[in-house]
Amino acid sequence: SFTTCTSKALGAYAMTSPSSGVAPRRATVVGLGLIGASVSLALRERDWGVTGVDADTVRANEALSVGAVDALGYDAEADLVVVAVPVSSIAAAVLTALEACPGAVVTDVGSVKGPVVAAMSDGRFVGGHPMAGSEQEGLSGADAALFSGATWVLTPTERTNASAHAAVRQVVASLGADVVELAPERHDELVALVSHVPHLAAATLMGIAASSAEEHATLLRLAAGGFRDMTRIAAGHPGIWPDICAENGDAIVAGLTTFVSALEEIRAVVAAGDRTALLDRLERARAARVNLPARLAAADDLVEMRIPVPDRPGVLAEVTTLASDLDVNIVDLEIAHSAEGDRGVLVIVVDSKAADLMRGALLARAYRPSVAALS
Amino acid sequence: SFTTCTSKALGAYAMTSPSSGVAPRRATVVGLGLIGASVSLALRERDWGVTGVDADTVRANEALSVGAVDALGYDAEADLVVVAVPVSSIAAAVLTALEACPGAVVTDVGSVKGPVVAAMSDGRFVGGHPMAGSEQEGLSGADAALFSGATWVLTPTERTNASAHAAVRQVVASLGADVVELAPERHDELVALVSHVPHLAAATLMGIAASSAEEHATLLRLAAGGFRDMTRIAAGHPGIWPDICAENGDAIVAGLTTFVSALEEIRAVVAAGDRTALLDRLERARAARVNLPARLAAADDLVEMRIPVPDRPGVLAEVTTLASDLDVNIVDLEIAHSAEGDRGVLVIVVDSKAADLMRGALLARAYRPSVAALS
C-alpha cells in the first residue's frame, strides 16, 4: 500500500548533503501542504535527507521539482516520519508510515489529538500539534522558518517509547519551536476552549444579532467596535469546521457546556443585581486578559496607547512611520471605530520603555494619546 | 431645586450671536461631560445660545470659562434641554428640566432607554441615544464634530408630542447625525445583544479559559488570534458595568437567555455530528458578519488584503505609507499574530477600486498579499 523511494534518489541526496561529523538523518514527510512542506524545508536546512509522500501526485511532483523534498516515496530507512495530512486521514496515514518505515519514530501535526493517539498502540508514535500557520496555503506558502518561536505541543502517553518521545522532542526543538507536553485529552480540551468554542460562540452571537435585526439590517449600526472584534472570526470560511467538530466533538461539547453554565451564572448575577459579584467576575476576566501571554514580552513590559484619529488616508502611515523612525516596534495595533462617523481610535501596543518617546513624538504632531499599562 | 441663568448672561449671548433671518434658538445642556459639552459646542456652532448646568460647580465654571456654554443655569426660555448625566441620574434630571424650562422639548443621551422613557408622562420628552463616544473623557475631550456621521437613536412613544419629536429630530439631524427611530424596549434589546451580552460573553470566555489553564498559565499560548480578538473587550475597566446591568438588566437577562439557547442548539448539532446543520449555521453567520454595516462603504465595495509580515519596526509603516502615498484609505486594519513566533499577518480593508493599485505596490515591495472580497 505504499511506495518506497529509489536508492538512486537517496544516493542523489547523500551526494548533495554537506559533509559533517554527525551522520545526516533521514526523514519522510507525508502530506506536502503548507505544514508538511515547511517541516521538510526546515529539516533539509538542518542537513536531513527528506523524502515526500502525497496522495496528490501533481503536488508531490511539484514538491520535488521546487526542492521541498529530495525524493518521493517512503524512505524505508527513515529515522523520522512526519504525518501532515488532514485530520480525518491521520490515523490511517500513521499506520501506513509505521509499517513502511520500521525504524522510524512517527509524529503528526493534527489539531485534534485524542482519537489519533488512542488509535495507536505502537510506542514509536508521538502525537504532535505545531501552533503555527500562515495565510498562505499549500506548498507555495511553505517556509522553513514557520516554526521559529511557535509553540509545538507533543502528546506522549504511557505507551510511547521514551526514546521516540526524546527524538521527536529534540527534532521539534531544533526547528526553533517551543515544546509543550500535554496529555492528548488536555490538549483537545484547551484547544476547544481557546479556539473551537470561541469560534462557535462568535458565529452564534452574530447569528442571533442578525436574526434580531432581521427586519432592518441597518440596526446593526448599533454594533460598536467590541462586537466587531468578537464576531470577526465568524467571517472565516466554515469549510474546516465539520471535520474539527467531528474529531474534537467531545471536548467541544464539554467546552460549550462549561461556557453555558458560566453564562447562566453571570445571568443570575445580573438578574439579582449583585454588583459585587459582577465586578469580581469582570475584574478577574480583565486580569486574565491583560496577562494573556504575549509573544514578545510580558504584559507588564507593554503599554497600550490610544490615539484618537480622523479616518483619512495618511494618518495610520504617519503614526507608524513615526514609530519606525524612532525604532519603536508596534507589538499590536488595531483601529477601534466605536460607533462614530469619520473618526476612530488607533490603539497601539508598544514596549513600556519606548512609551515616553512615542508619546512625545505623537504630542509633537498634535495627536492626543492616552497611555495605559497592560498589567 | 434649580437655578436660572441671569438675564445679563443671556443678554451677553444675544449680543454675540450673529444676526440672521432666523431667530437664534436657545438650549440648556444638563451635564457637561464629553457628550454634553460636545452637544453644546455643536449647537453653539449653529448659532444656538446655550446655557449649561452641572452638579460639579468646578466643571460648570470650567465649561463657562472655555466657552463651551454661554452662561450657567437653566434657561427658562429654552427651546431645548439636552440631559447628558449618568444613566442612574437621568430620570430625576429630566423631571427637573421639564419644570425649569416649561417651553422646552427635553431629550437625553442615555445608553439605556426603557426605564427613563417609562418614567416620563410629559409629551415634551423624547428619549435619545447618540452612538458616539471618544477615548477622551470629560469636558477636555468635547468636540463639536463628535456626532457627524454617527447613528443617533430616538425613542418616541405614543405619549410623545409630535412637535417635540419633530423638533428633536431636526436638531439631531442638524448636528450631522443619522437618526434611527426605535421603540425604547427595542433599542435596549438590540444594545443588549450587540454590546452588553457580547461584553459579558467575552469576560466569561476569558474566565473559563483562565480557570482551565490555571495550573499552567502559559497553556494560554495555545490561544490564537481569534481568541485574542474575542476577548479583547474583556480587558476594559469594569467600572461602568454594574450601572448598565442595573438599568438594562431585563434586556441583558433576555439576551443571555437567547444566547444560551442558541449555544445549546449548536452543541446539539456538534454532538449529533450533523455536518449540514453546522455548515448552514456557520454560513449564515459568515454572511451576516461580512455584511455588518461598514461606516464608509457597503461591504461589497470593500476588499480584505492579508499580508504576511515579519514582526519588526518599520513593516507597518512601510505598508501604511504605501497606502497613503497612493491615496488609498485603509478602512480597517488589524495585526493577526496567529500562534507563530516573530511573524504575523497584517490585515487591511480597502475600497475595492483601490485593491489592484495597492496589491501591485505591495508585490513591488516583495510582500505576498492575498485579496478577498468582503461580500
Side-chain angles (χ1 to χ4, degrees):
Chain A
S1 66
F2 52 88
T3 58
T4 53
C5 59
T6 63
S7 56
K8 178 164 177 294
L10 277 181
Y13 145 68
M15 285 167 60
T16 59
S17 171
S19 66
S20 137
V22 181
R25 290 177 292 178
R26 293 161 66 154
T28 293
V29 174
V30 183
L32 298 169
L34 174 81
I35 300 287
S38 295
V39 168
S40 184
L41 287 170
L43 289 173
R44 294 194 66 217
E45 262 194 13
R46 289 159 182 82
D47 295 341
W48 288 66
V50 185
T51 71
V53 174
D54 201 296
D56 178 344
T57 53
V58 173
R59 182 154 76 169
N61 284 314
E62 193 189 339
L64 182 62
S65 71
V66 301
V69 294
D70 296 290
L72 296 183
Y74 291 90
D75 177 354
E77 293 173 44
D79 305 296
L80 171 74
V81 179
V82 179
V83 171
V85 300
V87 162
S88 55
S89 311
I90 293 173
V94 168
L95 291 171
T96 302
L98 287 165
E99 190 185 347
C101 306
V105 298
V106 179
T107 188
D108 76 318
V109 299
S111 60
V112 181
K113 301 263 62 76
V116 167
V117 173
M120 297 305 141
S121 54
D122 195 317
R124 289 188 287 138
F125 174 71
V126 187
H129 179 202
M131 308 296 292
S134 164
E135 290 302 307
Q136 306 296 323
E137 286 180 7
L139 184 60
S140 61
D143 179 354
L146 188 65
F147 310 106
S148 172
T151 297
W152 191 314
V153 178
L154 294 180
T155 60
T157 67
E158 54 191 14
R159 291 196 305 273
T160 312
N161 293 346
S163 59
H165 175 201
V168 172
R169 194 181 210 294
Q170 190 180 13
V171 173
V172 165
S174 79
L175 303 188
D178 193 7
V179 181
V180 172
E181 262 110 4
L182 288 174
E185 298 70 26
R186 186 87 176 94
H187 165 274
D188 292 353
E189 176 199 325
L190 278 168
V191 171
L193 282 179
V194 300
S195 172
H196 306 160
V197 167
H199 190 99
L200 297 177
T204 302
L205 204 50
M206 188 67 239
I208 61 176
S211 303
S212 179
E214 201 157 31
E215 82 281 18
H216 195 189
T218 54
L219 292 186
L220 288 176
R221 278 185 299 182
L222 305 200
F227 183 79
R228 302 187 82 88
D229 275 353
M230 279 204 72
T231 55
R232 183 169 293 127
I233 51 175
H237 282 280
I240 61 167
W241 289 96
D243 272 355
I244 288 174
C245 288
E247 290 287 324
N248 204 25
D250 291 349
I252 293 172
V253 166
L256 284 169
T257 299
T258 304
F259 186 37
V260 162
S261 300
L263 286 170
E264 283 169 338
E265 282 175 34
I266 208 160
R267 181 177 60 187
V269 166
V270 172
D274 186 340
R275 302 172 74 93
T276 309
L278 182 66
L279 273 178
D280 180 54
R281 273 156 199 274
L282 296 180
E283 283 288 5
R284 275 188 288 129
R286 177 175 137 77
R289 180 60 179 79
V290 298
N291 287 312
L292 197 59
R295 297 150 313 106
L296 296 176
D300 52 2
D301 292 335
L302 297 174
V303 295
E304 183 178 86
M305 313 187 82
R306 306 180 76 88
I307 311 158
V309 293
D311 188 6
R312 58 172 170 75
V315 169
L316 206 53
E318 187 179 26
V319 172
T320 55
T321 303
L322 212 50
S324 177
D325 290 348
L326 299 170
D327 202 31
V328 172
N329 189 28
I330 295 178
V331 176
D332 208 347
L333 179 151
E334 69 178 305
I335 300 176
H337 287 298
S338 305
E340 311 84 297
D342 55 353
R343 49 180 44 241
V345 176
L346 184 60
V347 184
I348 62 175
V349 174
V350 301
D351 191 291
S352 58
K353 288 190 283 296
D356 280 345
L357 188 68
M358 190 66 197
R359 194 163 65 91
L362 287 167
L363 288 169
R365 298 283 180 94
Y367 290 99
R368 298 189 296 180
S370 58
V371 180
L374 269 183
S375 59
Chain B
S1 65
F2 52 87
T3 58
T4 53
C5 58
T6 64
S7 57
K8 179 164 176 289
L10 279 181
Y13 146 67
M15 284 165 62
T16 58
S17 169
S19 65
S20 138
V22 180
R25 288 178 294 178
R26 294 162 65 156
T28 292
V29 174
V30 182
L32 298 170
L34 174 80
I35 300 287
S38 295
V39 168
S40 184
L41 287 170
L43 290 172
R44 293 192 67 218
E45 262 192 15
R46 289 159 181 81
D47 295 341
W48 288 65
V50 184
T51 72
V53 174
D54 201 295
D56 178 344
T57 54
V58 172
R59 182 154 77 169
N61 284 316
E62 193 190 338
L64 183 61
S65 72
V66 302
V69 295
D70 295 291
L72 296 182
Y74 291 91
D75 178 355
E77 292 174 44
D79 304 297
L80 170 73
V81 179
V82 179
V83 171
V85 299
V87 162
S88 56
S89 311
I90 294 175
V94 168
L95 291 171
T96 302
L98 288 164
E99 190 186 346
C101 307
V105 297
V106 179
T107 189
D108 76 319
V109 300
S111 60
V112 181
K113 300 264 62 79
V116 167
V117 172
M120 299 302 143
S121 55
D122 195 316
R124 288 188 289 140
F125 174 71
V126 187
H129 179 203
M131 308 297 292
S134 164
E135 290 302 306
Q136 307 295 324
E137 287 182 4
L139 184 60
S140 62
D143 179 353
L146 188 63
F147 310 106
S148 172
T151 297
W152 193 314
V153 177
L154 294 181
T155 60
T157 66
E158 55 191 13
R159 293 197 304 274
T160 311
N161 293 347
S163 58
H165 174 201
V168 171
R169 195 180 209 294
Q170 191 180 13
V171 172
V172 165
S174 80
L175 303 188
D178 194 7
V179 181
V180 171
E181 263 110 3
L182 289 174
E185 297 71 26
R186 186 87 176 95
H187 165 273
D188 292 353
E189 175 199 326
L190 278 168
V191 170
L193 282 179
V194 299
S195 171
H196 307 162
V197 167
H199 189 100
L200 297 176
T204 302
L205 205 50
M206 188 66 239
I208 60 176
S211 303
S212 179
E214 202 157 29
E215 82 282 20
H216 196 190
T218 54
L219 291 186
L220 288 176
R221 279 184 298 181
L222 304 199
F227 184 79
R228 301 188 82 89
D229 275 353
M230 277 203 75
T231 55
R232 183 169 293 127
I233 51 175
H237 283 280
I240 60 167
W241 289 96
D243 272 354
I244 289 175
C245 288
E247 289 286 325
N248 205 25
D250 290 351
I252 293 171
V253 166
L256 284 169
T257 299
T258 303
F259 187 38
V260 163
S261 300
L263 286 170
E264 284 169 338
E265 282 176 32
I266 207 159
R267 180 177 59 186
V269 166
V270 173
D274 186 340
R275 302 172 74 94
T276 309
L278 181 66
L279 274 178
D280 180 55
R281 272 156 201 273
L282 296 179
E283 283 288 5
R284 274 187 287 129
R286 177 175 137 78
R289 180 58 179 79
V290 298
N291 287 312
L292 198 58
R295 298 152 312 105
L296 295 177
D300 52 1
D301 291 336
L302 297 174
V303 296
E304 184 179 85
M305 313 187 83
R306 306 181 78 89
I307 311 158
V309 292
D311 188 7
R312 59 170 170 76
V315 169
L316 206 54
E318 186 179 26
V319 171
T320 56
T321 302
L322 213 50
S324 177
D325 289 348
L326 299 170
D327 203 31
V328 172
N329 189 29
I330 295 179
V331 176
D332 208 346
L333 179 150
E334 70 179 303
I335 300 176
H337 288 298
S338 304
E340 311 87 296
D342 56 351
R343 49 181 43 241
V345 177
L346 183 61
V347 184
I348 62 174
V349 174
V350 301
D351 190 292
S352 59
K353 287 189 284 295
D356 279 346
L357 188 68
M358 189 67 197
R359 194 163 66 91
L362 287 167
L363 288 168
R365 298 282 180 93
Y367 291 99
R368 297 189 296 179
S370 59
V371 180
L374 271 181
S375 58

